[in-house]
């Protein structure tokens, strides 16, 4: 169980992150063999890739479109994301939204650390808990790894303390 206030953290506000996952729409199915006189529907050219759209409460005026190893920053909010252009068409014309992941909660400050605690929701169903710790003097996680692990161990109790930086808790 996370417990930032007892160790001196002060509440600094709220945060929210959205990730929308879009999958390419499937072209109309080709006719059966019985209808050989009808030409099959050609595949979409070029093949479409999956798309993720990210939106952070820290920068509400923009969202990020991630596809094929590229990230594009776009002005606007999530309400108009399906109208964003991908080449000559829009995201809503070529893709269907399959998953909406939302992480939201409270933000706390403790010296050089920012701690974000909250719920993780998959398509509006509770999916888990998020604990994020940020060490401000380091812009890369690797340079502050030891300090981050020690700090997160203060926040978490029991088996959860072993679950740091994507590592599963180890059996005793």
């Amino acid at each position: 169980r996370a417990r930032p206030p007892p160790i001196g953290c002060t509440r600094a506000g709220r945060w929210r992150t959205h990730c929308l996952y879009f999958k390419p729409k499937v072209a109309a199915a080709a006719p059966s063999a019985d209808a050989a006189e009808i030409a099959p529907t050609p595949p979409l050219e070029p093949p479409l890739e999956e798309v993720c759209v990210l939106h952070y409460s820290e920068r509400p005026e923009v969202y990020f479109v991630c596809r094929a190893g590229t990230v594009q920053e776009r002005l606007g909010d999530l309400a108009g994301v399906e109208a964003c252009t991908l080449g000559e068409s829009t995201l809503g014309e070529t893709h269907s939204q399959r998953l909406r992941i939302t992480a939201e909660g409270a933000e706390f400050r403790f010296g050089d650390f920012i701690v974000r605690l909250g719920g993780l929701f998959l398509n509006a169903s509770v999916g888990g808990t998020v604990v994020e710790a940020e060490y401000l003097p380091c812009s890369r996680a690797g340079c502050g790894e030891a300090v981050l692990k020690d700090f997160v161990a203060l926040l978490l109790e029991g088996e959860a303390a072993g679950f740091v930086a994507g590592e599963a808790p180890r059996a005793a």
Side-chain angles (χ1 to χ4, degrees):
R1 190 173 90 108
R3 50 181 164 79
I7 64 168
C9 292
T10 58
R11 191 172 184 138
R14 306 263 321 147
W15 63 276
R16 176 179 296 163
T17 299
H18 293 291
C19 176
L20 307 177
Y21 169 71
F22 292 87
K23 195 162 181 122
K25 291 181 179 176
V26 179
S32 66
D34 296 336
E37 67 276 356
I38 301 174
T41 305
L44 296 173
E45 294 291 335
L48 297 173
E49 63 274 341
E50 298 169 346
V51 175
C52 285
V53 177
L54 301 170
H55 183 260
Y56 304 100
S57 59
E58 292 86 8
R59 296 194 56 202
E61 72 283 0
V62 298
Y63 59 90
F64 301 88
V65 177
C66 309
R67 64 183 179 127
T70 64
V71 178
Q72 297 173 338
E73 185 174 321
R74 306 280 179 99
L75 293 176
D77 59 19
L78 286 181
V81 75
E82 290 193 3
C84 84
T85 55
L86 298 174
E88 295 181 13
S89 56
T90 66
L91 183 61
E93 292 171 337
T94 58
H95 290 73
S96 297
Q97 183 179 326
R98 297 291 184 202
L99 185 62
R100 180 185 187 102
I101 303 167
T102 301
E104 63 183 339
E107 181 175 284
F108 299 89
R109 301 223 178 223
F110 182 75
D112 287 339
F113 294 93
I114 296 174
V115 178
R116 293 178 186 93
L117 300 173
L120 179 66
F121 303 90
L122 306 171
N123 290 334
S125 298
V126 177
T129 302
V130 175
V131 177
E132 177 185 329
E134 181 178 346
Y135 183 49
L136 296 175
C138 293
S139 60
R140 294 178 309 148
C143 72
E145 182 178 356
V147 174
L148 282 168
K149 282 186 176 188
D150 290 345
F151 183 73
V152 171
L154 290 172
L155 295 175
L156 304 176
E157 297 174 358
E159 286 186 28
F163 189 75
V164 178
E167 298 173 9
R170 291 177 173 78

